[in-house]
Amino acid sequence: MRPLVATVDLTALRNNYLLAKRFAPGCRAFAVVKANAYGHGVREAVVTLRDVSDGFAVASLEEGAEVRAMHGEARILLLEGCFEPSEYQAAAQLQLDVAVQGEAQAQALLSASLTRPLNVWLKLDSGMHRLGLGHSEARNWQGRLRGAPQVAELNLMSHFACADEQGHPLTQQQLARFNALPATEFNNRSMANSAAILSLPQAHLDWIRPGIMLYGATPFADRSAASLGLEPVMSLTAQIIAIREVQVGDCVGYGGTWLARRPSLIGTVSCGYADGYPRHAGPGAEVVIRGQPVPLAGRVSMDMLAVDLTDLPEARLGDEVELWGRQMPVDQLAHSCGTIGYELLTKVTGRVPRRYR
Ligand SMILES: *Cc1c(COP(=O)(O)O)cnc(C)c1O
């Protein structure tokens, strides 16, 4: 077997969920498991959280059906609602909670004939301008949806654009716009993603929606996951499959972009961009071998990448290489690639076997 595996620590996932709940005492929490639980495997995530989680949140009916198949009773929230009118009946059969993020969705809901009413989350556009109704639209639809035969609970939700940046002025504006709708008109209210759970108690309300923090990565650019008490869930590990010496002036990899400035030891590692390792890994990108950080050498190729082992001469063929995990935080690699942990975790491709612990 090709020596590359994503090991998923399910105990860490559970601990991170419980940590989210401790940050927001008294709140219920939708564990956000969209995008195959941020690349970790939705089945295993749901089974791990099924006896502690108050609910799950997903991005589509297909994802919702997958969670429902594993959990007969859980509340499951469709974060973007239904994409076409015919989905409402399917959502009702699956007993999903649905977001209503625009007037077309609201209209389609009121036109649907459903075998049972749905819990509805009216989505307010409080300032991100991606989804949601404006203030007066929300007031209008709140009145029309309340008591409609298609609607069980009528809830209110919104989403932060900048909660990951401490003190960003938009965040307070979004809270103010959210609070301008009368709380008493809604059964439950929900605003907080991971960043707000960790930094904005006034946004906790009735239901929190932790995503990235469940997987042990940070939502913030300037606060590490470890400093927040989060445990990394995924470790991506490969092996050294070749080692060679190169001379001064020799190049390494496609394009010959890496040039040896000293006699160097180059290791070839069994992980490439077709596995989800970022091809645009910057000069600061490192892997960990024998507990020591080691820099990349040259471009990442499809199935392999090269590392400069010159300062780790004890490295041997077959040594384990941690691309990210407990020793190399995924956020640190993401930072040196100009991206975020979210993207690296969700982009681990299907050919990488997941091993669960
Ligand atoms: C994905 C998502 C979340 C989770 O966000 P994190 O930053 O991963 O915690 C919460 N709410 C909505 C609406 C989302 O789409």
Side-chain angles (χ1 to χ4, degrees):
M1 243 175 63
R2 185 162 170 255
L4 175 65
V5 63
T7 305
V8 176
D9 180 347
L10 295 169
T11 307
L13 172 68
R14 193 182 161 94
N15 289 343
N16 292 334
Y17 179 85
L18 295 173
L19 185 73
K21 293 272 289 186
R22 282 204 299 281
F23 266 91
C27 297
R28 285 182 283 174
F30 286 114
V32 181
V33 295
K34 62 191 178 189
N36 196 28
Y38 289 41
H40 293 69
V42 66
R43 291 172 173 278
E44 291 76 9
V46 170
V47 168
T48 301
L49 297 176
R50 60 176 294 154
D51 60 324
V52 286
S53 184
D54 307 304
F56 297 91
V58 296
S60 69
L61 197 63
E62 294 76 16
E63 291 182 350
E66 217 177 342
V67 177
R68 178 57 77 221
M70 282 168 290
H71 198 317
E73 296 93 55
R75 285 185 77 154
I76 302 169
L77 169 60
L78 276 185
L79 290 163
E80 293 149 51
C82 291
F83 297 113
E84 49 183 290
S86 65
E87 290 191 353
Y88 280 108
Q89 173 55 12
Q93 273 166 350
L94 289 165
Q95 289 185 264
L96 307 184
D97 284 31
V98 297
V100 168
Q101 51 87 359
E103 300 211 276
Q105 275 189 345
Q107 195 64 66
L109 172 61
L110 285 189
S111 308
S113 69
L114 306 178
T115 45
R116 66 175 94 212
L118 290 163
N119 290 330
V120 169
W121 292 80
L122 199 60
K123 189 155 184 171
L124 176 73
D125 180 0
S126 58
M128 184 169 186
H129 302 321
R130 183 177 66 173
L131 294 178
L133 301 158
H135 178 91
S136 54
E137 289 172 327
R139 297 276 342 216
N140 172 31
W141 283 102
Q142 161 232 313
R144 296 177 64 182
L145 292 174
R146 159 128 356 255
Q150 296 88 349
V151 178
E153 283 181 4
L154 183 61
N155 306 303
L156 181 65
M157 70 183 290
S158 192
H159 191 55
F160 286 112
C162 307
D164 54 318
E165 292 175 46
Q166 304 290 307
H168 195 291
L170 183 56
T171 300
Q172 290 304 324
Q173 267 180 38
Q174 289 195 266
L175 268 171
R177 289 179 188 148
F178 192 84
N179 288 323
L181 289 172
T184 50
E185 299 291 337
F186 300 97
N187 297 95
N188 296 283
R189 297 186 305 157
S190 173
M191 269 203 105
N193 55 6
S194 296
I197 292 164
L198 295 165
S199 66
L200 214 60
Q202 65 271 43
H204 290 165
L205 307 173
D206 302 304
W207 283 83
I208 55 173
R209 307 190 305 266
I212 194 68
M213 69 179 294
L214 300 179
Y215 308 101
T218 181
F220 303 111
D222 56 355
R223 285 162 78 185
S224 71
S227 75
L228 297 162
L230 298 169
E231 298 179 32
V233 176
M234 185 193 291
S235 297
L236 186 63
T237 50
Q239 266 180 23
I240 300 181
I241 59 169
I243 298 185
R244 75 206 55 250
E245 290 172 9
V246 298
Q247 303 311 313
V248 174
D250 284 350
C251 64
V252 171
Y254 283 117
T257 57
W258 191 91
L259 283 175
R261 279 180 289 187
R262 55 178 177 169
S264 302
L265 200 58
I266 298 298
T268 303
V269 175
S270 52
C271 180
Y273 62 77
D275 303 302
Y277 196 89
R279 183 170 172 278
H280 294 287
E286 293 174 330
V287 302
V288 175
I289 301 169
R290 297 185 177 228
Q292 193 170 308
V294 172
L296 299 203
R299 285 189 191 152
V300 173
S301 42
M302 188 180 292
D303 313 309
M304 289 170 276
L305 55 82
V307 293
D308 180 0
L309 296 173
T310 315
D311 297 324
L312 188 65
E314 63 270 35
R316 292 290 174 272
L317 213 56
D319 273 2
E320 184 177 277
V321 179
E322 184 179 292
L323 288 316
W324 66 69
R326 293 201 169 258
Q327 306 168 89
M328 172 53 58
V330 68
D331 300 306
Q332 186 177 325
L333 175 64
H335 184 73
S336 55
C337 303
T339 184
I340 50 178
Y342 297 74
E343 186 178 13
L344 297 188
L345 293 172
T346 55
K347 282 193 168 167
V348 175
T349 59
R351 79 170 178 177
V352 180
R354 271 66 165 175
R355 191 172 63 202
Y356 294 92
R357 274 211 320 235

